[in-house]
Amino acid sequence: MSVLYRRVRVLVCSLRAFLMPVLILVLIPAVSQSAEKNSVGLEQMRLASAVGARCSGFYDGVYALLHNMEKEGDEASLTVINSNWPGLNKRYVFRQSTSAMLLTDIFIRQMNQTFEPKQLFSLQSFAEDYVNSRKAAMAWTNQSVMIDIQKQQREQCEHILQITKRNGTLRDDMINNAMQKRSVALGVDLKMME
């Protein structure tokens, strides 16, 4: 696969990921309360779940990117990424990824309970959204277009997570508990992530 093809693919995936959260920002209040029991409500909740999976994938991709840069001793890239994202560290992106995963799970449960689809939705139903977003985040390079795409994705995901914390869908105790369980399941030490 050529480098140009990969960059174009990352750009297309990133633009797609950019446009969907804008739509979801309009839909979250309706989704977070109770969606009507119709195909429009189901589609809203499916879109919200897909955006949650993309945000989780984005943050996990950034985590992997940081891990790889540290492992390779790529101080130049770490300096650039940290200058464009002040306060960035692996614990923060792990927390954000866990939050987005929790949000996705909440939407999936609401969707399954409200609409009782023939085939129940699960996190696996949104694996492609997660994987594509994770790959796009890991493909970051020190180029202005990639820096801008990462910034846009970060701002949108953070905005979505802030809304869900403000409206009570996500709480710190839920996130902290999920982070602890996830870190044990993945065999990572939260204290070593600073």
Side-chain angles (χ1 to χ4, degrees), residues 18 58-59 84-86 140 144-158:
F18 168 75
F58 167 72
Y59 286 116
N84 290 299
W85 192 338
W140 178 89
S144 61
V145 71
M146 296 299 281
I147 291 169
D148 291 344
I149 289 169
Q150 183 186 65
K151 182 180 179 188
Q152 290 170 349
Q153 183 70 40
R154 178 184 89 226
E155 288 173 351
Q156 289 159 4
C157 289
E158 287 177 355

Side-chain angles (χ1 to χ4, degrees), residues 19 26 29 45 64 89 92 116-118 129 136 138 140 166:
L19 294 174
V26 175
M45 293 190 81
N89 62 48
Y92 172 78
E116 300 172 359
K118 291 177 186 173
D129 294 293
M138 288 179 65
W140 178 89
R166 272 197 308 263

Side-chain angles (χ1 to χ4, degrees), residues 45-46 48-57 97-111 122-124 126 161 169-170:
M45 293 190 81
R46 193 194 64 71
S49 301
V51 169
R54 284 188 202 113
C55 287
S56 185
S97 172
T98 303
S99 299
M101 201 173 287
L102 273 173
L103 180 63
T104 305
D105 189 54
I106 289 167
F107 285 152
I108 289 169
R109 278 187 277 127
Q110 276 186 323
M111 195 165 33
S122 69
L123 286 173
Q124 190 61 37
F126 300 94
L161 292 174
T169 304
L170 289 179

Side-chain angles (χ1 to χ4, degrees), residues 62-79:
V62 173
Y63 181 96
L65 180 68
L66 292 174
H67 176 78
N68 292 340
M69 287 177 178
E70 289 171 2
K71 187 176 174 183
E72 295 165 4
D74 189 352
E75 294 300 322
S77 292
L78 282 168
T79 300

Side-chain angles (χ1 to χ4, degrees), residues 25-44:
L25 290 177
V26 175
L27 301 177
I28 278 185
V31 171
S32 294
Q33 294 165 8
S34 62
E36 293 179 33
K37 201 167 184 173
N38 62 34
S39 61
V40 173
L42 176 62
E43 184 60 16
Q44 287 176 343

